[in-house]
Amino acid sequence: MTTDRVQLSELWRLTWKDVDPAARPAFDPADVAQVVRALPPAAEVPPAGTDWRLTDFWYDRMTAALVERLGVWVVGWPYTVEMEDHQDRGVIPVWRTGRPPVTTPAETLARFADAVVAWHELLVEFATDARGRFAAAAPTAADGTGDPPAWRAVKGHGMVVVHTGLPDGRLPDPRELSWAEVDPAGRDFDPGTVPATAAGLVAAFEPPSAEADWRLKDLWLENVTTGLVDRYGRWAVGWRWSVGEGDLDGGPVGSWCCFPHSVTTPEATAATIVAALVEWHDWLADLAERFDRFLPLPAGDLDGWERAVAHLVTAVGDRTQYESAWYGCCRTVLGWFLDAAGIAATRREELLEHAIAGRFDSWLEPPGAVVESVAGQLARRVAGDHP
């Protein structure tokens, strides 16, 4: 399968002149299916079950071929848009984008053609707003472009893009794991086995070059992680939860940063993976020891809860160096502590949201008074006191 990067125009850089259906009066939606089937990449539909990152390369080539045949406007074929009251931000344009799954060649090409026709019909609607869905939200035209109000509305300030249709990942994020899944108690983990495991994975999945498309790098990281999980268990997904703005952002692992910095020669890359996995396991063991210092902890022991929470916040901050998104690791660790203490999952989220939300910032060690406040808030909520 060809995995060369294809340069496509971004929809957001296109003007109304680029997409205006009036500029293509000869376009016939009934011809699209035939045009799609005649494109050279149409003879190379990936097999069903191919990883979505690889099928993306094929969709890129199909889109590039269709742009050459029909014009740049067609790059918007994966998109739809509605004006929605979105997450307390008011009514804004919400764009959704997603490429359909690859199944049989006939079904895949038919869905592609249908999406192209649907995009054309949406552009026609922008030109007229015949359904009255968009124009009312259009900003006042002040630039003299003459763009239709509906187009101004959907390209207006505050729009968001939601990616849909991506398959669920094969692997969880370490922040999604329960304490039972990461607790090293009773785990039969031998660090001495990791060098051979890592070397085998690097040999089986050759790292892409530094200049490779991000999708190939992402797939390689997932393949390595899957191999570690298969060998050691789900807890191993945290091996690349790196400090600062690394692969997963805001974690406790210093040995691994990210693909550009941590992937070099096969031997050195394998050694870095080893160091990162062992460091991640050691951090979990350190947490277990810290948890054991405080647990069991009665719900009514306010002083005990305050000491435990303040201690864990500081421990996470020191480990993550208060770098980018360190508070995500802090929230995860406190969630694991509540889990280990027997607090029900349905209540843990409410406790953490009440105590932490908005209290910590990236790259900033919180003042002691803030840490004490968070610890006090959480302690009182655990005890059932809602001031």
Side-chain angles (χ1 to χ4, degrees):
M1 179 183 298
T2 301
T3 55
D4 295 332
R5 182 178 299 166
V6 174
Q7 296 297 329
L8 296 171
S9 298
E10 293 184 10
L11 172 62
W12 318 117
R13 296 183 180 275
L14 301 185
T15 66
W16 178 248
K17 183 178 179 180
D18 294 321
V19 300
D20 185 359
R24 46 182 185 277
F27 176 80
D28 186 352
D31 294 337
V32 172
Q34 181 178 349
V35 171
V36 165
R37 290 193 298 269
L39 297 174
E44 304 170 355
V45 179
T50 300
D51 185 89
W52 69 268
R53 283 155 289 214
L54 299 180
T55 64
D56 247 20
F57 287 101
W58 176 77
Y59 273 123
D60 283 351
R61 291 191 294 121
M62 285 289 290
T63 303
L66 199 58
V67 166
E68 186 175 347
R69 179 71 172 80
L70 298 179
V72 71
W73 66 272
V74 83
V75 297
W77 71 266
Y79 289 88
T80 60
V81 64
E82 296 284 354
M83 301 301 300
E84 299 180 12
D85 192 348
H86 184 73
Q87 297 180 354
D88 300 324
R89 295 177 58 181
V91 177
I92 59 173
V94 178
W95 290 81
R96 289 181 170 80
T97 177
R99 294 175 169 184
V102 170
T103 53
T104 68
E107 291 174 342
T108 303
L109 295 173
R111 282 194 292 265
F112 184 86
D114 289 344
V116 172
V117 172
W119 172 240
H120 168 76
E121 292 173 348
L122 184 59
L123 292 175
V124 171
E125 183 179 357
F126 291 157
T128 63
D129 198 37
R131 297 169 60 187
R133 295 193 296 159
F134 303 113
T140 303
D143 55 9
T145 62
D147 291 351
W151 178 250
R152 296 201 309 271
V154 299
K155 295 290 291 291
H157 176 72
M159 71 177 185
V160 299
V161 181
V162 178
H163 295 274
T164 64
L166 294 180
D168 292 335
R170 291 184 289 171
L171 300 166
D173 187 287
R175 286 161 283 217
E176 298 171 357
L177 299 177
S178 67
W179 176 243
E181 290 176 301
V182 299
D183 184 1
R187 179 184 302 147
D188 184 18
F189 173 68
D190 180 2
T193 66
V194 182
T197 300
L201 290 170
V202 173
F205 305 105
E206 182 179 356
S209 70
E211 295 75 29
D213 187 274
W214 72 269
R215 289 164 290 192
L216 296 179
K217 298 174 184 178
D218 191 65
L219 181 58
W220 181 82
L221 288 167
E222 185 171 294
N223 284 332
V224 169
T225 304
T226 298
L228 294 175
V229 169
D230 289 345
R231 176 65 175 82
Y232 298 110
R234 278 165 61 89
W235 66 271
V237 298
W239 71 275
R240 62 188 185 100
W241 193 6
S242 49
V243 172
E245 296 177 310
D247 273 348
L248 299 181
D249 199 18
V253 177
S255 301
W256 180 272
C257 169
C258 49
F259 192 99
H261 292 90
S262 301
V263 176
T264 53
T265 65
E267 296 78 13
T269 300
T272 303
I273 294 170
V274 172
L277 182 65
V278 172
E279 183 183 359
W280 170 243
H281 184 269
D282 288 348
W283 165 244
L284 296 176
D286 179 76
L287 284 181
E289 188 276 329
R290 292 175 189 274
F291 288 5
D292 287 344
R293 294 184 203 174
F294 296 99
L295 298 176
L297 191 57
D301 185 355
L302 294 182
D303 289 342
W305 275 98
E306 288 187 27
R307 287 195 302 271
V309 172
H311 172 84
L312 292 172
V313 169
T314 302
V316 172
D318 289 344
R319 182 68 177 234
T320 60
Q321 302 171 41
Y322 299 100
E323 281 275 354
S324 172
W326 72 274
Y327 46 81
C329 184
C330 182
R331 188 182 185 115
T332 298
V333 167
L334 291 178
W336 286 343
F337 183 68
L338 294 173
D339 189 358
I343 305 297
T346 53
R347 192 172 176 223
R348 289 198 296 269
E349 186 62 27
E350 180 270 333
L351 290 169
L352 294 172
E353 182 67 20
H354 179 83
I356 296 178
R359 308 294 296 280
F360 300 143
D361 297 299
S362 295
W363 305 292
L364 184 65
E365 179 178 354
V370 172
V371 175
E372 292 174 5
S373 174
V374 168
Q377 291 266 23
L378 189 54
R380 289 191 294 274
R381 300 288 286 193
V382 168
D385 179 14
H386 302 266

